[in-house]
Amino acid sequence: MKPKDKTSQDIIPSRESALAVLANLRRQYGDKGSNLCGENEAKTRLLIIDKILESLGWCKEEFNPEHPVKHVGFTDYLITADGIPRFIVEAKRIGQTFIRPQTGLKKTIYQLSYIRTSFGPSVSEVINQAEGYAKETGVPYSVITNGAEWILLQAIPNRNKNINDLQCIYFGNLLSNVSHFDLFWDLLAKPCVVNNSLEEHFSEINSLPSDFCVIPSSKLPEINWSRSNDSDKYIGEFYDRFFGEIVDPGRRMMLKQCFVTNPKLDQYQGELKRTLQDTSPIYIPSATDISPDYDNPHFLPTESGDRKGRVVLITGSVGCGKSTFINKVLIEAHQRNTKKFNYLIIDLINEFDGTPEIINEYLWQEINGKWKNLRPEAYEHETLRKIFGRELQNLRKGSYAKVFEQDSQLLALKEAELLEKLSESPSEFLEKSWRYYASQNKKGVVVFLDNIDRTSDRYQRIVYTFAHKLASQTGATVIITMREGTYFRGREFGFLDVRSDDIVYHLQTPDLVQIISKRIEYVENLETPKEPSKKDHRLTRWRNQPNWQEFYKFSLKYTQVIKSTFLKASAANQSLNLLSAVSWHNVRYFLDILRDLHLTLGSETEVWSVSYIISALLSPNSISGGKSILPNLYYPVFPSYPCYFLKLRLLLRLLYGRHSSESRRGTTLKEILNFTRMYAYHERWTRITIRDMVRERLLECMEIPSEADFTKNYELEEFHSFRTSPLAVVMIKQVYFDNIYLSMIGRELPFHKSKAFEKFVDAVRDVITILSEESLNKTGVDLLSETEANSIVARYLVESFEEEKPIGDVLMHFPEVATTEEKLKDMIAKLLSIAGVSVPNRLPEVVSGFPIKTQELQVFQPSLFDYIDNLKLIQETNSIQVPHELANIQTTTRSLAPKIFWAMVELRARGKKQVTGSEIANIINQYLVDDINKVEPTNISKALRGRALQSQSWLNTEQIASRKKLYGLSDNWRGYWEQTFNEQSPTLD
C-alpha cells in the first residue's frame, strides 16, 4: 500500500479525477447516511473525508491530523502546504452534528449567523470550537464537515466585525446529486489554495474596503524642491575635483592623502552598527574579507619572480574603492621594492562590440602597448635577441647553417625577419618576454584589468575567460575588480567559473567619516600644505586659471558646511547615520547624495538640520529615478484597507523578535507569513509588502545583491530570506517620529476618516499652495513645521493602530509577537506625544493592550481632534513602590533575582498572575535601570530557567508547551520580600 500511496501523491490532481472519487463515494455511502450516523469521528474521517481531501490534491503528510492547540485541544486536521498552515478541518459524525435545515439551503453564500440558526446548536458549537482554534493558531479559515456536508468559513473576524456577521460558503451534500462541486474545487483544491483562492474569495465577500479613502495630494497642489541660489556657481566642479574618484595618475598625491584605510564603525551604535557591517554576501561563499588597510597582499608576486599564473578577484560594493585600493596597493608595493614585480593597469571602461576573437586580440594589443610603455627596452634589438635566444639558435643551426657561415649579412637579415615575426604576435611575445624578465631580473608581472564590472555581461564573460588564458599562458598574476552584483550575475548566468586556484577577496567599505574628513582636510590645506612633500603638483596649473581664487573661496565655504553638518554639529551623528544608511556601503552613491543635498540645501547656512536633510530626501530625486529616497513607513499596501503598521511590524519582528542566527542567515518567507497571520493581515498583503520593502531598500534579501540594479524590480521568491537594512534601522530609531517626516508623508497617506483628512488638508493647504508657486525650500520646510500637520498625522496613526492589534491571546503564546508589540508600544508613545497627548513612561491601556487596575486610570483630554469622543487616553503608573534596598543593587547576573522578583510583584499588582520573561524585562527596564543598563528579554528568560532562580521557593513555573514557560509568585513570596528588602511586604488585592 505504501508504494501505491507514494505514486498517488505524484499524480497531479484534476477536477475530473476528484469527481470520479466523489461518484464512487456516492455509490458506496450516498444512501447509507443512517448507517454512518453512529460512527465516530475517526471512522468518518477514514471512510470519507480522507478520500475527499486526497482527491483535492492533499497528501496525507499534509493532513496533520489531531494537531494540538494550546489551551483549546486538538484540531481534527491542520492542512499545510509549503510548510504554511492553510486551513483547519473539523470532522464530525454524519447526522449527529449536521441536522439538515427544514427549509433547505439553495445558495452557496450565507451569513454565519444564519448557518447557526439553520443547522442548530450542534453546528453552532462546532463553529465556536473552530473560532477558538483559529485565534490560537492564527489560521483564519476553517472547514466543518461530517463527510457529506461541507461548510467553509472565515474563523477570524475582520477589524471591527463580529464573526457572526461574516459570510461563509455552504457547498451542500457532496454525497448527493445536489452540491456545488465546482466552487468546492476552486476553493479547496490544493493548487487553488496555494494560489490564495481562500484569501481572494473571502476578501471579496468579507473584507470590504473603507467607505472613505482619500489621499491629500489628490486635493493639494504639487510641490518640488528648488535648487539653492548659490548652488550652481561652482558646486559641480567642487565635487568633481575633490569628491570624485582618485585613481587617475594625475591625482596620485590626492590618492596618498585621501585614501581611507579604516573600515571600522566606531561612530555607530547597536543595530545600525550591526547592519552596516560590510561582510562578504552569502552568494560569495569563498571570499576572504579584507579591509582597505590590508598590507602586503599575498596575491602579489614575491621576490622570486614567481609565474604561478593566478587570477585574483576583488569584489565589493559599488564605490567602495576597489580600483583605488588596487592602485594604492600596486604603487606602494612597487615603491617599497622595485625588484618584486612589474605591473600594468588596463582600463576596460570603453567597451566595444565585436567577436570574442576580435576582443581577445584587442586585449592582447592593449597589454602589449602598456608593456612597451613600461619596458621600451624589451622591444630593442639586443633584448629581443635575449628573449628569443633559443629561436635564433635554432635558426643558425638549421638548414641555412652552412650559408650563414659564408654570409653574415644574410644571417643578420634572417634573424631580423625572425625577430620581427616573433614579436608581431602580442600573446607569443608577452609570454616569452615575461618569462625572460622573471628568469633574469626575478620580476613577476601583475596585470590589473580595471572597470570590467561597468561593461556588459557578454563583454565580462569574454574578458574573464581571457584573464584565465592570460594567466595560464604567461604566468602573470591577473587582478580583476568587480561589484558584488557583477559576481552574482556572473555566477547566475554561468560565465563566472571561479576555479579552485582563483583567489577571491571581499573589500570592506571604508569609514564614511574618514572619507569626508580626509577630503575636507585635503581641500583646506591645498594652498598651504603642512608639509612640502604633500603639495599637489596640479596646484601650479590651477593657479593659472582666471577664476581659481574665487573657486577656491567657494570650495572652502562648501567644505565648512559639510564639516559642520556631519562632523561638528550636535546632530552630526544623526545626519551621518541617515546618509550612511541610505547609501548602504555604496560610497559612490553616498557622494552623489551629498552633492545633491548640497545643490538642494545650499551653503547659505553653516549647518543643515536633520529635518532639512529628511525633507530633501523625501522629495523626488534625480539620483533615485525621480522617486523619494526615504520610504513612507505607514503607506498601506492597498490604500483602501487598514494596514498602516504592517511594514513597521515586519521590521520590528526582524530586528527584535528574531533568533540570533537570523541576523546572519535571514528570516525565511514562511516564518514571516506565519508571523503576520497573527494580525489577520492577508498573505497577499504581506507578500506584496515584502516585495515593496526590498525595492525601497528597507529589507535585504539575502539571496541577491543589495544594489539598486537588483532591488528596483525585485520579485519575491519562495526560497528567499530577509533581514533589516541599515535604512530600516535609522527609520525606526530617528525618522518615523520626526515632525517634518510626518508632515510630508501625510500628503501621500490614504485617510480612511473624513474628519481627519479634512483636518490635515486645512492645516497644510495655505502653506502648500505657497510652496507650489515658489517651490519647496528651507523656508518652506520651516513653514510646514509650524503647522499642526505632524500632530494630526500622528493622532490619526494612533487611532489606526487600535484597529490593527494582534488577534486573540497571541501576546501570551508567541514571544516574537509580544516582543514586536512591546517595541511598537514605545513607538506609539512617541506618536502620542507628538499628537499633543502627554504620556509618561508607558502607554495607556487603550493603546498598549495590557490590562491595568481601574482605580489607576486617568482620562486624558485630547488636544487636537474633537471628533474622537470615544478615544480615552489613560495613564499607567507603577503600583508597587521600589524598595530603597533595590536601588543599590547593580545589574549583574547574581543581582537579577531581586529585580525579577520585584517586577513579578508589580505585575501581580496589575492582575497578572502568570507572566513571561519579556513582560518582566519590560518592567525592569521601565522602573529599575537606566538606558545604559537595560536588560534583554532573553537574559531574563535564561535567568528564570537557571538553577539559581528555579531553586527559589517564591517562584512558580508552569510548562505550557515544549519550549514555553510562564512564571508566577508562590504563596510564601512575602517572606522573601521582607528578608531581601528589609521592609514590610505590600498588600495586593
Side-chain angles (χ1 to χ4, degrees):
M1 290 299 294
K2 287 185 179 180
K4 184 177 179 180
D5 288 342
K6 183 175 180 181
T7 304
S8 65
Q9 293 173 22
D10 294 334
I11 299 175
I12 299 175
S14 67
R15 192 185 303 263
E16 292 72 20
S17 62
L19 277 172
V21 170
L22 283 180
N24 185 49
L25 290 173
R26 192 177 299 123
R27 285 191 295 270
Q28 289 182 288
Y29 306 111
D31 58 348
K32 300 177 182 178
S34 58
N35 295 334
L36 293 172
C37 289
E39 304 294 350
N40 60 24
E41 295 176 19
K43 193 164 185 178
T44 302
R45 179 169 62 232
L46 181 63
L47 291 175
I48 301 175
I49 299 176
D50 283 11
K51 293 184 178 180
I52 292 179
L53 289 175
E54 286 179 328
S55 73
L56 294 174
W58 302 102
C59 61
K60 290 188 175 180
E61 288 77 7
E62 296 165 323
F63 284 3
N64 207 357
E66 301 295 336
H67 179 75
V69 178
K70 301 171 186 177
H71 307 298
V72 179
F74 292 85
T75 63
D76 288 333
Y77 296 85
L78 177 63
I79 310 297
T80 63
D82 302 325
I84 300 173
R86 303 292 179 165
F87 60 93
I88 291 170
V89 178
E90 278 302 296
K92 299 301 176 183
R93 293 193 296 271
I94 291 179
Q96 179 176 338
T97 301
F98 282 58
I99 300 174
R100 188 178 302 281
Q102 297 298 319
T103 58
L105 300 180
K106 305 294 185 183
K107 301 185 300 181
T108 56
I109 300 178
Y110 293 92
Q111 198 169 45
L112 194 58
S113 58
Y114 183 79
I115 292 291
R116 288 182 187 270
T117 303
S118 298
F119 280 98
S122 56
V123 167
S124 184
E125 183 180 330
V126 180
I127 292 173
N128 293 338
Q129 189 176 1
E131 183 182 12
Y133 292 151
K135 286 183 176 180
E136 291 296 328
T137 62
V139 182
Y141 309 111
S142 295
V143 171
I144 301 172
T145 181
N146 56 10
E149 292 172 285
W150 294 67
I151 299 174
L152 173 63
L153 57 97
Q154 180 180 332
I156 297 178
N158 296 336
R159 312 294 180 189
N160 302 322
K161 267 194 174 184
N162 187 284
I163 188 173
N164 292 322
D165 297 329
L166 300 180
Q167 304 290 324
C168 65
I169 314 296
Y170 175 65
F171 298 109
N173 188 337
L174 297 181
L175 299 186
S176 70
N177 292 322
V178 182
S179 68
H180 303 283
F181 172 78
D182 286 338
L183 182 61
F184 181 74
W185 172 268
D186 290 340
L187 292 182
L188 292 177
K190 181 179 177 180
C192 302
V193 172
V194 170
N195 288 323
N196 290 325
S197 59
L198 297 178
E199 183 174 294
E200 290 179 5
H201 193 79
F202 279 107
S203 293
E204 291 180 5
I205 63 176
N206 285 333
S207 297
L208 299 178
S210 298
D211 296 330
F212 180 90
C213 179
V214 184
I215 299 175
S217 61
S218 65
K219 306 296 182 182
L220 296 169
E222 286 289 333
I223 56 173
N224 290 294
W225 263 99
S226 62
R227 295 301 192 188
S228 173
N229 293 331
D230 73 339
S231 292
D232 296 331
K233 186 80 174 178
Y234 291 113
I235 201 78
E237 185 179 354
F238 167 78
Y239 277 92
D240 288 340
R241 284 196 184 189
F242 303 129
F243 283 82
E245 294 184 353
I246 50 177
V247 296
D248 61 89
R251 302 191 184 195
R252 184 145 308 172
M253 181 54 66
M254 191 175 177
L255 170 64
K256 185 175 181 180
Q257 295 185 44
C258 297
F259 184 75
V260 176
T261 60
N262 184 10
K264 296 181 180 178
L265 305 169
D266 296 334
Q267 70 274 18
Y268 305 103
Q269 302 295 326
E271 288 295 329
L272 181 59
K273 185 172 184 177
R274 181 191 63 77
T275 55
L276 282 174
Q277 291 287 350
D278 190 8
T279 56
S280 59
I282 60 176
Y283 51 81
I284 313 181
S286 58
T288 300
D289 285 320
I290 56 174
S291 64
D293 61 353
Y294 187 55
D295 193 27
N296 195 25
H298 299 297
F299 55 78
L300 295 179
T302 63
E303 288 85 348
S304 64
D306 69 69
R307 301 178 64 254
K308 295 181 179 178
R310 62 175 69 88
V311 173
V312 179
L313 297 178
I314 307 293
T315 67
S317 57
V318 179
C320 73
K322 299 179 289 295
S323 296
T324 307
F325 168 74
I326 295 299
N327 273 272
K328 185 173 183 294
V329 164
L330 294 176
I331 292 169
E332 291 184 349
H334 194 262
Q335 288 174 345
R336 281 197 300 265
N337 190 343
T338 57
K339 295 182 179 180
K340 269 191 175 182
F341 58 89
N342 299 290
Y343 70 88
L344 310 174
I345 299 177
I346 313 298
D347 191 351
L348 299 179
I349 196 169
N350 296 319
E351 177 184 354
F352 70 93
D353 194 18
T355 64
E357 292 75 19
I358 293 175
I359 294 175
N360 272 268
E361 181 61 29
Y362 164 78
L363 293 173
W364 281 115
Q365 292 289 354
E366 282 291 299
I367 297 171
N368 190 45
K370 291 287 184 179
W371 180 248
K372 189 171 186 177
N373 291 335
L374 180 66
R375 296 295 180 198
E377 76 278 3
Y379 296 80
E380 295 176 357
H381 180 75
E382 290 304 319
T383 309
L384 288 173
R385 287 180 60 84
K386 296 175 183 178
I387 292 173
F388 297 107
R390 180 174 299 177
E391 287 78 2
L392 293 178
Q393 185 178 15
N394 292 337
L395 173 66
R396 289 192 295 269
K397 293 181 178 181
S399 58
Y400 279 79
K402 294 295 183 181
V403 178
F404 291 154
E405 290 177 1
Q406 303 298 323
D407 192 344
S408 59
Q409 288 186 347
L410 180 62
L411 173 61
L413 177 63
K414 291 296 184 180
E415 285 184 341
E417 290 176 350
L418 178 60
L419 290 175
E420 183 178 10
K421 181 180 179 181
L422 292 173
S423 59
E424 278 181 352
S425 170
S427 59
E428 295 181 13
F429 170 73
L430 292 174
E431 177 183 357
K432 297 284 187 179
S433 179
W434 292 353
R435 179 181 299 169
Y436 166 78
Y437 275 85
S439 61
Q440 296 297 315
N441 301 325
K442 304 300 182 185
K443 288 185 178 182
V445 175
V446 176
V447 180
F448 176 26
L449 301 178
D450 195 13
N451 287 321
I452 183 178
D453 55 357
R454 300 195 188 188
T455 61
S456 67
D457 291 341
R458 175 179 177 273
Y459 200 78
Q460 291 172 34
R461 179 169 62 251
I462 295 171
V463 172
Y464 188 73
T465 303
F466 170 82
H468 280 94
K469 181 178 181 181
L470 174 65
S472 62
Q473 184 171 327
T474 66
T477 296
V478 183
I479 301 175
I480 300 176
T481 59
M482 61 176 61
R483 304 172 186 177
E484 296 167 354
T486 304
Y487 186 99
F488 172 83
R489 188 183 287 114
R491 296 301 299 269
E492 185 178 37
F493 294 157
F495 70 79
L496 187 60
D497 179 23
V498 178
R499 304 172 190 183
S500 58
D501 55 347
D502 289 351
I503 304 173
V504 183
Y505 289 101
H506 175 262
L507 182 64
Q508 297 171 315
T509 303
D511 180 16
L512 297 180
V513 171
Q514 283 201 34
I515 288 177
I516 292 177
S517 60
K518 286 196 172 188
R519 301 286 178 111
I520 289 175
E521 183 181 8
Y522 172 80
V523 176
E524 291 177 336
N525 298 328
L526 184 61
E527 282 280 12
T528 55
K530 295 179 179 179
E531 302 175 19
S533 61
K534 292 186 177 180
K535 182 178 179 180
D536 196 317
H537 69 88
R538 297 174 297 171
L539 186 59
T540 303
R541 174 165 48 86
W542 289 343
R543 283 173 175 167
N544 293 327
Q545 297 173 354
N547 63 341
W548 167 252
Q549 291 301 325
E550 184 182 29
F551 168 76
Y552 188 61
K553 180 181 177 181
F554 271 87
S555 296
L556 291 175
K557 182 181 179 181
Y558 299 151
T559 57
Q560 186 59 41
V561 173
I562 299 172
K563 186 176 183 178
S564 298
T565 301
F566 297 103
L567 301 179
K568 296 175 64 177
S570 58
N573 280 344
Q574 294 183 45
S575 301
L576 187 65
N577 287 350
L578 187 53
L579 258 65
S580 301
V582 167
S583 56
W584 194 1
H585 302 154
N586 188 332
V587 179
R588 192 173 299 151
Y589 189 47
F590 171 81
L591 296 175
D592 286 344
I593 294 173
L594 189 60
R595 177 202 292 252
D596 199 77
L597 283 176
H598 218 141
L599 285 168
T600 301
L601 301 177
S603 302
E604 294 93 343
T605 57
E606 290 189 357
V607 179
W608 305 328
S609 69
V610 176
S611 290
Y612 287 159
I613 295 174
I614 288 175
S615 59
L617 295 177
L618 275 171
S619 301
N621 194 293
S622 59
I623 62 176
S624 59
K627 298 179 180 179
S628 166
I629 292 178
L630 293 184
N632 186 341
L633 282 177
Y634 304 102
Y635 195 86
V637 61
F638 289 104
S640 297
Y641 292 88
C643 49
Y644 295 102
F645 291 89
L646 176 53
K647 285 183 181 178
L648 273 177
R649 283 189 163 109
L650 281 176
L651 294 178
L652 293 174
R653 159 65 178 86
L654 297 183
L655 269 175
Y656 303 108
R658 68 179 190 276
H659 190 271
S660 58
S661 63
E662 293 180 29
S663 61
R664 174 61 180 168
R665 64 172 175 83
T667 303
T668 65
L669 175 62
K670 184 181 79 172
E671 291 169 321
I672 294 176
L673 292 176
N674 287 336
F675 167 75
T676 57
R677 198 173 61 243
M678 303 302 170
Y679 297 90
Y681 289 132
H682 294 174
E683 182 178 323
R684 182 174 54 151
W685 294 0
T686 302
R687 288 176 176 272
I688 296 176
T689 298
I690 292 173
R691 182 202 67 186
D692 291 347
M693 291 173 74
V694 173
R695 293 180 178 183
E696 294 169 336
R697 296 169 67 80
L698 287 169
L699 288 183
E700 177 184 6
C701 176
M702 304 299 292
E703 287 73 27
I704 68 169
S706 59
E707 298 171 19
D709 288 346
F710 292 88
T711 61
K712 63 183 178 182
N713 296 315
Y714 168 77
E715 294 296 337
L716 184 66
E717 299 285 353
E718 295 297 322
F719 62 88
H720 284 174
S721 54
F722 308 89
R723 65 181 178 187
T724 50
S725 70
L727 177 58
V729 176
V730 169
M731 294 293 291
I732 287 175
K733 295 290 186 181
Q734 69 181 62
V735 175
Y736 82 92
F737 56 87
D738 181 85
N739 287 335
I740 201 65
Y741 178 76
L742 291 171
S743 298
M744 291 188 69
I745 66 165
R747 191 174 180 279
E748 301 296 336
L749 192 69
F751 281 80
H752 294 169
K753 295 179 180 178
S754 60
K755 290 187 178 180
F757 168 78
E758 292 165 2
K759 284 276 187 181
F760 179 82
V761 171
D762 290 343
V764 302
R765 180 183 284 113
D766 291 343
V767 173
I768 289 183
T769 300
I770 295 172
L771 297 179
S772 67
E773 298 171 355
E774 301 180 0
S775 295
L776 184 62
N777 50 37
K778 288 181 289 188
T779 303
V781 172
D782 294 336
L783 289 174
L784 192 59
S785 64
E786 291 174 3
T787 69
E788 293 184 344
N790 63 316
S791 59
I792 295 171
V793 171
R795 186 58 175 273
Y796 176 71
L797 289 172
V798 171
E799 287 185 28
S800 302
F801 171 74
E802 285 300 301
E803 301 175 2
E804 292 185 44
K805 286 184 176 179
I807 58 176
D809 298 324
V810 295
L811 288 178
M812 180 68 73
H813 308 307
F814 295 91
E816 65 273 21
V817 177
T819 302
T820 299
E821 293 308 298
E822 280 295 317
K823 296 296 182 180
L824 188 55
K825 187 177 70 170
D826 294 338
M827 299 176 72
I828 296 297
K830 288 189 177 181
L831 291 178
L832 275 169
S833 178
I834 294 169
V837 179
S838 177
V839 182
N841 292 328
R842 58 213 62 81
L843 289 178
E845 187 240 359
V846 70
V847 174
S848 69
F850 293 91
I852 56 178
K853 296 172 67 175
T854 304
Q855 60 265 34
E856 294 168 357
L857 304 183
Q858 176 182 341
V859 178
F860 285 84
Q861 296 300 321
S863 61
L864 295 177
F865 298 155
D866 56 3
Y867 73 93
I868 319 173
D869 296 330
N870 63 335
L871 183 59
K872 306 292 186 180
L873 300 176
I874 304 166
Q875 179 184 1
E876 178 188 49
T877 59
N878 56 308
S879 307
I880 306 300
Q881 184 176 358
V882 178
H884 178 73
E885 294 287 336
L886 194 55
N888 298 323
I889 299 177
Q890 299 299 317
T891 307
T892 64
T893 304
R894 179 173 294 181
S895 64
L896 274 179
K899 290 183 173 64
I900 291 173
F901 173 74
W902 182 88
M904 292 181 67
V905 175
E906 166 66 20
L907 288 165
R908 177 73 173 270
R910 301 182 185 186
K912 291 203 167 189
K913 295 184 177 181
Q914 290 186 314
V915 295
T916 64
S918 177
E919 291 173 293
I920 295 172
N922 179 56
I923 294 295
I924 293 174
N925 289 334
Q926 286 179 348
Y927 300 108
L928 302 182
V929 297
D930 56 24
D931 289 340
I932 297 177
N933 293 312
K934 279 191 173 183
V935 297
E936 291 294 331
T938 52
N939 292 337
I940 297 300
S941 298
K942 186 176 180 181
L944 285 165
R945 296 170 186 265
R947 184 179 302 175
L949 279 182
Q950 285 295 315
S951 64
Q952 296 291 327
S953 59
W954 55 265
L955 179 66
N956 281 339
T957 304
E958 180 181 353
Q959 186 96 21
I960 64 171
S962 60
R963 299 183 63 183
K964 179 70 176 178
K965 293 181 180 180
L966 294 179
Y967 305 93
L969 296 171
S970 64
D971 293 335
N972 62 351
W973 66 269
R974 299 180 184 278
Y976 182 84
W977 178 285
E978 294 168 1
Q979 178 184 352
T980 304
F981 301 136
N982 296 320
E983 62 182 51
Q984 186 175 356
S985 60
T987 301
L988 303 182
D989 293 338

